[in-house]
Amino acid sequence: MIYLIKFAYSFILPPGLFIVLLAALVIWLWRSSRRQAIVLSAVTLLLYLSMTPWVGDALIRSLENNYEQPDNITGDVIVVLGGGATSGTPDIDGEGNLLGSAANRLLTGVRLHRLDGLPVLFSGGQVFSDSGNEADTAKRQLLGLGIPEADILTENQSLNTEQNAVNTAALMKELGLRQPILVTSAFHMSRAMAQFHEAGLDPLAYPTDYTSSRGTALYPGKFAPSGSAMQSTGLALKEYLGLLAARF
């Protein structure tokens, strides 16, 4: 009963509500203009599919499975890529927080540091005027987690993955570092590796922040539209477009 209620709610609340409204519009148009109704039906179906975990998870999983976490870690610096930050929001020892993906990446970087003692280089700047500076926020949080300041390196100017790669390569060259262990979200790793190779680096990929479970199962909830599923679809399509752009 609980799952039936959840499924019904997905069509009462946005974004599923918009699918219901579009379907109603298709029915209304059918009598007066079947051609327009058919076109709108196709658009509605594509929009609905993009909102379902069935499609969103499949697209994200196709990216997350491209790299596996290595058993043996070799390198001289742990490079963690940012993924967004807020400004002015309260934190334990100051203001500003990393967004979910960036926080997961940072946590993995900290755990790797505790395994091998390598320095952590966090790359990410202030992308928007009302967002936080990712690397500066990360440094404060790394210090709060007990990482020695001498083991924290920051690159706080990058606004996208290409700049992450170029600016990180320049900083590593300046510091005499050569072999990065690249930490970023699993769905983002393929594009990040392409950009870092383009910048002249040969990093060891260490994916984290997985959003889709391994293995698949079909149940009604997989076909219930949701904002999170639509976000997954958008993220995956963005990564594929980024990979395409990186080739030209």
Side-chain angles (χ1 to χ4, degrees):
M1 187 64 179
I2 292 176
Y3 295 109
L4 181 61
I5 292 173
K6 287 179 178 289
F7 187 78
Y9 272 160
S10 70
F11 289 95
I12 295 173
L13 302 172
L17 174 62
F18 300 121
I19 299 300
V20 174
L21 294 176
L22 285 171
L25 184 57
V26 168
I27 295 172
W28 181 73
L29 281 173
W30 187 258
R31 294 180 180 178
S32 58
S33 178
R34 292 196 174 185
R35 179 176 297 177
Q36 292 180 8
I38 291 172
V39 171
L40 184 58
S41 295
V43 172
T44 302
L45 179 60
L46 286 174
L47 185 61
Y48 162 67
L49 290 174
S50 73
M51 296 177 177
T52 63
W54 180 55
V55 170
D57 288 351
L59 288 172
I60 283 289
R61 192 181 302 113
S62 68
L63 290 164
E64 292 185 336
N65 290 343
N66 287 340
Y67 288 90
E68 295 290 338
Q69 288 187 353
D71 295 327
N72 299 315
I73 307 300
T74 56
D76 54 14
V77 63
I78 301 164
V79 175
V80 182
L81 302 188
T86 59
S87 64
T89 53
D91 196 9
I92 292 173
D93 53 3
E95 290 186 345
N97 288 271
L98 295 177
L99 299 185
S101 288
N104 287 338
R105 299 171 189 181
L106 183 71
L107 179 60
T108 298
V110 170
R111 295 173 71 186
L112 287 174
H113 167 81
R114 290 178 176 168
L115 284 175
D116 53 31
L118 294 177
V120 178
L121 192 164
F122 195 99
S123 174
Q126 181 177 346
V127 179
F128 303 107
S129 61
D130 60 348
S131 61
N133 187 289
E134 298 172 13
D136 292 347
T137 301
K139 180 176 182 178
R140 174 173 51 77
Q141 294 186 341
L142 285 168
L143 290 170
L145 290 168
I147 306 301
E149 188 168 7
D151 290 335
I152 302 173
L153 307 170
T154 56
E155 184 287 295
N156 63 3
Q157 299 300 312
S158 296
L159 303 181
N160 58 25
T161 307
E162 180 181 7
Q163 291 182 14
N164 285 140
V166 172
N167 293 341
T168 296
L171 181 57
M172 286 180 58
K173 183 178 181 180
E174 178 184 334
L175 298 173
L177 300 169
R178 297 182 177 180
Q179 181 58 58
I181 300 166
L182 183 59
V183 177
T184 190
S185 300
F187 69 81
H188 181 240
M189 184 59 77
S190 294
R191 183 158 63 100
M193 289 291 284
Q195 295 289 1
F196 271 71
H197 284 141
E198 184 69 21
L201 295 172
D202 186 22
L204 175 67
Y206 201 97
T208 187
D209 183 43
Y210 290 86
T211 62
S212 179
S213 299
R214 294 288 174 91
T216 59
L218 285 180
Y219 47 89
K222 286 286 188 179
F223 301 95
S226 71
S228 60
M230 195 170 189
Q231 183 180 25
S232 293
T233 299
L235 277 175
L237 294 178
K238 175 186 174 184
E239 292 302 315
Y240 278 116
L241 284 174
L243 281 168
L244 182 63
R247 295 180 180 179
F248 297 98

